[in-house]
Amino acid sequence: MSMLEQNLERILKVRPVDLGLFVLAMHSLIERSLGEKYGSSGNYDSENSFGKLLKLYIDDYYNSHGRPVYNGAETRNLPNEEFYVYKTLKKLFKSHELSNSVRHNFEVISPEDAQVSVKYFLAFAQAEKWGPLLALEKLKKELENWDSHSSYQSVELTKAIAQIEQLKKENQNLAEKANAYGELQNQLNVLSARESLLKNELEEAEARLSKKDARLDQLRHKSNEQMMSFRKEKEKILEQMKDYEVTRQYLSYLEKVSFYSKTRHDYEASVTKLTSEQNDILEQIKLDKDFLIKGAAGTGKSLVLLKALEKAVNDLKSELTFDESKDSFRLLTYTKSLVKYNQYVTKILGAEVPEGTITTADSFLFSMVKKYFPEKRLSFGWDNSYEEIFVCEGFSEKEVFNECYEFIWANLITNEDYIEKMCDRAGMKFPLKKEERIAIWEAMEKAERALENLNVWPRNFAAKKILELCGNGDSCVEYSFVDEAQDLPPVILALVKKTSKRGVFLAGDSDQSIYRKGFNWNRSGIDIRGRSRILKMNFRNTNQIHAFAESYRSKFKNMDKALEPVAFRPGPPVEISVGKNPDDIMNQMVQQVKMLLNALNYDEENICIIANQKQKLEKLQEMLDKELGVKSHQIDDDFDFAETDGIRLCTMQNCKGLDFPVVLLLADHRIRGAEEKSIFDSETYYEQQYNMVYVCITRAMEMLHIFTAENTEFAPFKDLRKGKQK
């Protein structure tokens, strides 16, 4: 057995005896390894000494494993695994502080502290290429609590979370105070560094000059005067810092809780391993039958869908050539940003998915229009060329158009359904009597004849026309997968079904429907009888975010009560800050970002700001750059999820299906005129707005902070505050 293996075995023996000594033993081995590597025989207990060695090590790792982004560039790109190690090594100094608390104060270490220390130790072992060793495999078992997704929250962590809640309740502007406290700490550190430099200069002079040299006395006198000046400045700063004792406590508790939360890479790593619940559902998916995966936010519907796609690709490998496989699968979703995110996740999974498989539902429809009606273009709502076409006495042209577009065409409604059976039009803006329906149907038939001669067709009309022309087997793929299916109308789902040879697989949640009334696949021809399964384990959100989101979801009049997920990870409490006006709110958000970056050491890429208007995001982008010198990027069609720099900015509509370690939600005021422009009735409009807010708050993996206006009258935003007060 090598000396390294002996040392690792000794560390393992300490584990059951005392967690504090266990953490100290792991860190001591790291300290010794760094000292041997850089030929240092100094005091590793010294923060300065350890910090210098660690910085050297991290810089060396970055330079040796990263490739310059271009010839001569200092900035480098690291592969995923090396990037994770690099990011974890940068946090290793926290473990040093923890081990010192044991070394000097003999403090008791919590299971969470030990767990995080193991994570850092294993990253160092990976950087040093110590594995594979049996002792390291045993250490990895320390992280099984996360891997098994079991619920666990110690007494220490529960107390810390309660303290954050209490301090936040009793004190205002804690983020701003935390930043001011940080500035004082920086000033103190600068003075300490200047003291150290002055001391070193004096020691060098004493070694160089004779004791009788008059210059030495002058230098000592000058050094003493400067030291006295530094001490007075430090005393003054320390006195000021006493006013920030509450702030220091708040940061300490917040840091303790967030210390245990998973990072972006941890979440992505967990993606490659399904939970037992997810795996059970994946095994139940038979590839020759339609299937529906349901579940509330954070349960992993999209992940199981991607795994089902991977399963289908592997299943047909022996049957299809490479060229054939490229056109045999499609995964459709609603937005381009979600397309890019799903492509990103498939890379993390290492899934061999043919290029072009993942696309938007609209892109799919474009391709079908190009095949059957190449001279036609698509519109996704009213077009000026429709004037004088949708004419019906008693109704405006746009009212008639909306009835056709959003109800009759979208839901594949027949004349019998509409007039004879007087089918339910739930959610539409105004009720219609039978004679009014007859008039609108006649107007629609005239409009359809007129549309034949136009170059621009409404999306749902185009889908209906293609359905009438194409037969089963036309333009077919073997399998179709549809993510966020609740936002697609039955006419699109019917087209997907008709052009799929073997099966259609859906993932959806009616409580996340933000474009349509509910979730309806009945008219599409998709048969999921006996083949619908519900995911109930929320592995994205912490217990605190999950509880807040479920409390908010309980306000929904049409809440899907079959979806009752449970969470397992502890985290910081959800925070809500109230501002007097838009400028005040945005200033608070900038202060929060500053605290997250400087005091809590979050990486920029782990923070996302969500707002209901792009203009608000643009203003925040400008403020972050001007006041903090921090880059930020809007998540749009060109955004690359593999990028690792800059804060993320996202509209409410674009955040569907995405997730971020930290979410700052700007929920100040409604968009003026949005309700009036809606084609749905007031109840449905607000149902969709509540759904959208629910989607936003469930994007946060570990920390959620909501910023709202004290005078907001928008019910979905006001109820966020009510939920917190409970």
Side-chain angles (χ1 to χ4, degrees), residues 62 65 80 93 164 222 304 308 327 339 394 398 411 451 473 514 536 562 592 598 660 671 678 695 710 721:
Y62 179 75
H65 289 81
N80 281 346
F93 201 83
I164 295 170
K222 185 178 179 180
V304 176
D327 300 317
V339 167
K398 287 187 178 179
N411 294 293
L451 283 171
I514 64 175
K536 293 202 171 185
Q592 184 71 15
N598 297 337
F660 311 91
I671 299 175
S678 173
V695 167
E710 62 181 19
R721 291 172 65 183

Side-chain angles (χ1 to χ4, degrees), residues 48-165:
N48 278 335
S49 176
F50 179 78
K52 288 176 182 175
L53 294 180
L54 182 59
K55 187 177 186 311
L56 274 174
Y57 187 79
I58 292 170
D59 288 345
D60 286 350
Y61 186 88
Y62 179 75
N63 291 323
S64 61
H65 289 81
R67 293 182 177 179
V69 293
Y70 56 86
N71 287 337
E74 291 185 9
T75 306
R76 295 170 180 267
N77 286 329
L78 290 165
N80 281 346
E81 204 59 39
E82 284 76 7
F83 182 71
Y84 164 68
V85 172
Y86 170 68
K87 284 295 184 73
T88 309
L89 289 173
K90 288 174 72 175
K91 298 176 183 177
L92 194 55
F93 201 83
K94 290 291 179 187
S95 186
H96 180 68
E97 293 173 352
L98 193 64
S99 66
N100 273 350
S101 70
V102 178
R103 197 188 328 250
H104 299 306
N105 303 321
F106 213 62
E107 286 191 8
V108 176
I109 296 299
S110 70
E112 293 97 343
D113 288 324
Q115 192 174 55
V116 174
S117 294
V118 168
K119 173 180 159 183
Y120 293 165
F121 182 80
L122 289 173
F124 184 81
Q126 188 173 340
E128 285 292 281
K129 296 182 172 58
W130 284 350
L133 296 172
L134 180 60
L136 286 176
E137 292 303 315
K138 290 178 182 177
L139 274 174
K140 287 178 183 177
K141 291 183 179 179
E142 289 297 319
L143 305 179
E144 281 184 351
N145 181 53
W146 292 114
D147 294 335
S148 63
H149 296 165
S150 58
S151 181
Y152 176 75
Q153 183 169 309
S154 72
V155 174
E156 294 91 339
L157 203 53
T158 302
K159 287 179 180 177
I161 293 167
Q163 286 292 337
I164 295 170
E165 288 269 26

Side-chain angles (χ1 to χ4, degrees), residues 240-273:
Q240 287 178 272
M241 290 177 78
K242 289 179 181 178
D243 296 334
Y244 291 90
E245 179 56 25
V246 170
T247 305
R248 187 197 65 76
Q249 291 176 10
Y250 170 72
L251 281 175
S252 175
Y253 289 126
L254 193 58
E255 190 173 33
K256 185 178 182 66
V257 176
S258 62
F259 193 43
Y260 311 126
S261 300
K262 304 186 87 172
T263 65
R264 175 87 225 165
H265 184 278
D266 292 323
Y267 173 72
E268 290 169 353
S270 72
V271 164
T272 62
K273 184 178 180 182

Side-chain angles (χ1 to χ4, degrees), residues 280-292 308 311-312 315 479 481 502-505 527 530-531 533:
D280 286 345
I281 290 180
L282 180 63
E283 289 181 358
Q284 292 176 51
I285 295 176
K286 306 304 178 188
L287 294 174
D288 58 341
K289 301 288 185 182
D290 301 337
F291 199 94
L292 171 63
K311 179 178 178 180
D315 191 62
Y479 300 108
F481 302 81
R502 306 198 191 198
V504 176
F505 308 92
D527 182 6
R531 293 183 297 279
R533 298 292 182 271

Side-chain angles (χ1 to χ4, degrees), residues 276-318:
S276 57
E277 178 191 46
Q278 292 166 342
N279 201 56
D280 286 345
I281 290 180
L282 180 63
E283 289 181 358
Q284 292 176 51
I285 295 176
K286 306 304 178 188
L287 294 174
D288 58 341
K289 301 288 185 182
D290 301 337
F291 199 94
L292 171 63
I293 307 159
K294 294 180 69 177
T299 53
K301 300 179 296 296
S302 299
L303 172 59
V304 176
L305 194 71
L306 287 170
K307 283 287 191 179
L309 170 59
E310 183 183 26
K311 179 178 178 180
V313 171
N314 291 333
D315 191 62
L316 288 188
K317 268 185 178 178
S318 59

